[in-house]
Amino acid sequence: MAEMMTQVGSAIAGLMVAYAMFQNYFPYELRGPIKRYTQKFISLLYPYIQITFPEYQGDGFERSKAFAAIERYLNATSTKQAKRLQANVIRDSEAIVLSMADHEEVTDEYEGVKLWWASTQTTPNRQSISFYPREDEKRYFKLTFHKRYRDMITNNYLKHVLDEGKAITVRERRRKLYTNNKSEGWHGYRRSMWSHVIFEHPASFDTLAMDPGKKQEIIDDLINFTRSKDYYAKIGKAWKRGYLLYGPPGTGKSTMIAAMANLLKYDVYDLELTAVKDNTELRKLLIDTASKSIEKKKADKKDGENGKKKDEEKDEVKEKLNKLEEEKNKTSQVTLSGLLNFIDGLWSACGSERIIVFTTNYIEKLDPALIRRGRMDKHIELSYCGFEAFKVLAKNYLDIDSHELFATVRRQLEETKMTPADVAENLMPKSGSDDEEICLRRLIKALEEAKEEEKRKAEEEEKRKAEEEEKQKAEKLAKEEEERKKKETENGADHQSDSKHEKLENGVKENGEADENLENGVKENGK
């Protein structure tokens, strides 16, 4: 062993002497060609191919997606093979991630072919100060394989590694809830149009209160969408799907979106249209969203001026607030055509695997062009709580599948409208002593009160309608009476005018006779 080590040391020393002589005695102009021909000669004898994947590419501002996918792919292999590991707390991950340290090597096997992955980091030759990472200061992965497998590795294996790495990233990362900034902001050296928080909503389709058949239909549709990339390309459509959720407040529209995101492991982008300046900014927001995302928009249409109360017109404070709100709305110049182009126009093809969800309480107020099939592919009505939805809530809140009071609840739910949110609130125990019977009876009482309230409102509505009809009838009669009196007055005035005219004519005749008599008298006196 000592003799072998001596020989190895001598060989290394000889190589170092030869390299020093090369650096000192060979002209600089000859070093480049000599290195190139030497590498060509070695490549003829060396049967392996190497591919390098740097951590940063191009301008060095953005981390390579290929590097990140390979890193996640190798993590599982690294923990089993590598002797030196490094632990990282990835920002988007739910746990500590172990990866192989620099200058460590692991092996992989694909369809019987052995490959070698190495993690390497280059050290800069000079000292420099920079706000951004330089490419020569960062890590890179190096893949080595036999040259006879070039086609299989480049065509199949690398795609397999990237797909697996992306899938692992989706499974491990923490989902985010984004909202658009009011104006373009800056995050470090990179422009940021969205701000986000970690999305930790616990909703799932298992706990969603709705009809099981309808629920399964939505789940199947979502899963089918995620597996239809090739189909969408075949039919020539962007890989996206639109959902319209409509129904009264409290029926679970936001909970449905959270359940969709948790099922598919998608991020959620909550778009506030009033904060978008114009159509151009809307397109920029679309480009800045990632794939595997759900984009939520509230599509409720504002009421017109006819909905304002009369007392608000007299209130100076509210008038000022209304003026401020109008000025605020004038700053947003997003048009309907711009929104439609955002949903399914040319710009909607920028990116893939997106779900666009519109929510509204009043579907009848929306423009038909906005919700037509093709833009909003699936319309889902979330209505009042039915018995099947109640059973899901009873399981969630009380952990029961049946009870003797279920029949009473079922009968009352068929007769009374109550949202799932109100049913859930009544089922929730208010103290440690509340058992399932107390909670169910509280719900039954609430349903009875709601029924009475509906009856009272219906009676008041009927009374209001009757009073309105009587009022309209009285106004009609008063108007007819006023018109009749007006006509009588006009007719009386015409009659008086005719009488005066006749009297005036008679007076003129009498005066004419008197004048004639007077003239005759003058003539007689003249005689």
Side-chain angles (χ1 to χ4, degrees):
M1 178 64 70
E3 184 179 355
M4 186 178 66
M5 293 297 295
T6 302
Q7 292 176 356
V8 171
S10 299
I12 294 174
L15 290 173
M16 292 178 66
V17 171
Y19 183 75
M21 291 177 64
F22 174 78
Q23 293 286 345
N24 293 329
Y25 296 105
F26 276 82
Y28 180 79
E29 291 78 7
L30 297 177
R31 294 178 191 175
I34 291 174
K35 287 181 179 180
R36 286 197 300 271
Y37 286 113
T38 302
Q39 290 175 355
K40 288 183 179 180
F41 177 74
I42 293 174
S43 65
L44 293 175
L45 302 177
Y46 189 69
Y48 294 95
I49 296 175
Q50 292 181 342
I51 301 177
T52 301
F53 299 89
E55 185 175 10
Y56 288 86
Q57 298 183 76
D59 55 11
F61 288 168
E62 187 173 0
R63 197 166 187 251
S64 169
K65 295 181 180 179
F67 183 92
I70 293 170
E71 185 178 40
R72 292 295 178 92
Y73 174 80
L74 294 177
N75 286 342
T77 307
S78 302
T79 55
K80 297 177 182 178
Q81 298 183 20
K83 295 181 179 179
R84 294 183 302 113
L85 300 169
Q86 60 183 12
N88 299 312
V89 180
I90 307 299
R91 182 178 180 183
D92 295 339
S93 178
E94 298 178 348
I96 295 176
V97 178
L98 297 176
S99 59
M100 59 182 177
D102 295 332
H103 309 292
E104 190 72 12
E105 184 177 285
V106 295
T107 60
D108 193 17
E109 186 173 331
Y110 179 75
E111 296 185 1
V113 178
K114 192 174 183 180
L115 310 98
W116 294 267
W117 284 98
S119 176
T120 307
Q121 183 178 20
T122 57
T123 304
N125 296 325
R126 61 186 182 279
Q127 294 182 352
S128 61
I129 299 175
S130 175
F131 291 104
Y132 313 120
R134 295 180 59 86
E135 187 176 350
D136 59 353
E137 297 173 351
K138 291 302 173 182
R139 302 162 52 207
Y140 61 88
F141 288 117
K142 183 170 62 177
L143 173 63
T144 305
F145 56 92
H146 200 282
K147 61 182 180 182
R148 72 167 64 100
Y149 304 113
R150 176 194 290 266
D151 292 339
M152 182 181 68
I153 298 303
T154 56
N155 295 332
N156 301 329
Y157 175 71
L158 291 181
K159 184 178 183 301
H160 163 74
V161 170
L162 296 179
D163 291 343
E164 284 294 317
K166 291 176 182 177
I168 293 172
T169 301
V170 172
R171 289 197 300 267
E172 292 182 351
R173 73 183 175 90
R174 304 181 71 178
R175 288 175 295 283
K176 298 174 184 177
L177 173 62
Y178 291 85
T179 185
N180 53 304
N181 298 322
K182 189 170 184 179
S183 59
E184 294 185 7
W186 292 84
H187 182 71
Y189 59 85
R190 184 175 181 271
R191 177 180 60 82
S192 176
M193 302 190 70
W194 298 90
S195 56
H196 70 271
V197 295
I198 300 301
F199 183 70
E200 297 180 329
H201 200 292
S204 68
F205 277 95
D206 292 334
T207 60
L208 195 62
M210 64 183 306
D211 181 79
K214 190 174 182 180
K215 185 191 302 185
Q216 189 60 46
E217 178 185 345
I218 298 171
I219 294 174
D220 293 341
D221 188 79
L222 291 168
I223 297 298
N224 181 67
F225 167 77
T226 62
R227 298 172 179 173
S228 302
K229 180 179 180 180
D230 295 336
Y231 177 76
Y232 275 81
K234 177 183 175 182
I235 63 177
K237 288 186 63 177
W239 191 16
K240 66 176 184 59
R241 189 157 177 80
Y243 287 79
L244 174 66
L245 308 182
Y246 65 96
T251 52
K253 293 182 286 295
S254 297
T255 306
M256 168 70 77
I257 295 174
M260 294 166 69
N262 288 331
L263 173 69
L264 302 179
K265 302 187 184 301
Y266 282 9
D267 290 332
V268 178
Y269 288 82
D270 189 0
L271 179 61
E272 180 58 50
L273 283 175
T274 58
V276 182
K277 183 173 61 176
D278 51 27
N279 295 336
T280 301
E281 186 172 330
L282 187 63
R283 289 193 291 267
K284 291 180 180 179
L285 286 166
L286 175 64
I287 294 172
D288 212 31
T289 59
S291 299
K292 294 183 180 294
S293 61
I294 295 177
E295 297 165 20
K296 173 183 176 291
K297 304 176 185 67
K298 189 173 182 181
D300 287 346
K301 187 175 180 181
K302 292 184 178 180
D303 292 335
E305 294 181 358
N306 294 332
K308 292 182 179 179
K309 296 180 180 179
K310 294 181 180 180
D311 56 350
E312 289 182 353
E313 298 176 355
K314 299 178 181 179
D315 192 340
E316 295 181 359
V317 176
K318 289 186 178 180
E319 285 181 0
K320 290 180 179 179
L321 292 175
N322 290 336
K323 289 181 180 179
L324 290 174
E325 185 67 22
E326 290 176 0
E327 293 296 326
K328 177 182 176 183
N329 291 337
K330 288 180 181 178
T331 60
S332 178
Q333 299 178 1
V334 177
T335 63
L336 178 61
S337 61
L339 181 60
L340 298 181
N341 192 41
F342 176 90
I343 298 170
D344 68 343
L346 293 176
W347 289 95
S348 67
C350 298
S352 61
E353 200 171 355
R354 287 192 179 101
I355 292 178
I356 300 175
V357 182
F358 272 27
T359 64
T360 181
N361 297 333
Y362 309 101
I363 188 174
E364 66 278 358
K365 293 185 178 181
L366 299 183
D367 193 302
L370 187 65
I371 60 176
R372 69 165 176 80
R373 304 290 179 175
R375 290 195 173 105
M376 293 294 105
D377 304 286
K378 194 169 184 63
H379 294 191
I380 302 173
E381 181 181 7
L382 300 176
S383 187
Y384 295 100
C385 187
F387 183 67
E388 295 297 328
F390 158 75
K391 289 197 296 183
V392 175
L393 294 173
K395 180 65 176 178
N396 294 342
Y397 287 86
L398 304 177
D399 199 22
I400 57 175
D401 295 313
S402 61
H403 194 276
E404 59 182 6
L405 294 175
F406 273 25
T408 304
V409 174
R410 181 171 191 167
R411 185 180 66 255
Q412 290 189 337
L413 285 174
E414 292 174 352
E415 299 173 352
T416 308
K417 293 180 179 179
M418 181 174 284
T419 65
D422 291 333
V423 173
E425 178 60 27
N426 285 286
L427 289 178
M428 182 179 292
K430 307 304 180 186
S431 65
S433 60
D434 287 358
D435 56 12
E436 59 269 16
E437 184 168 351
I438 292 176
C439 295
L440 289 172
R441 291 193 180 280
R442 180 167 56 240
L443 173 61
I444 292 172
K445 182 179 179 181
L447 287 168
E448 291 174 351
E449 292 175 353
K451 184 177 180 179
E452 291 297 324
E453 181 68 14
E454 288 181 5
K455 183 179 179 181
R456 184 184 64 80
K457 287 183 178 180
E459 292 176 352
E460 290 181 353
E461 183 66 18
E462 289 294 330
K463 183 179 179 181
R464 187 192 65 80
K465 287 182 179 180
E467 290 176 352
E468 187 68 22
E469 290 177 358
E470 289 294 331
K471 182 179 178 181
Q472 291 178 356
K473 188 175 181 180
E475 290 177 351
K476 184 179 180 181
L477 291 175
K479 187 176 180 180
E480 292 176 352
E481 181 65 19
E482 183 179 355
E483 290 178 353
R484 185 183 63 79
K485 290 182 178 180
K486 185 177 179 181
K487 288 181 179 180
E488 289 179 354
T489 303
E490 291 176 352
N491 294 334
D494 292 341
H495 180 70
Q496 291 179 1
S497 176
D498 294 340
S499 300
K500 289 181 179 180
H501 183 68
E502 183 178 355
K503 289 180 180 180
L504 180 60
E505 289 180 350
N506 295 333
V508 170
K509 290 180 180 180
E510 293 175 353
N511 290 336
E513 293 177 356
D515 291 341
E516 185 178 357
N517 294 332
L518 180 61
E519 289 179 356
N520 295 331
V522 171
K523 290 179 178 179
E524 291 175 357
N525 292 332
K527 289 180 179 179

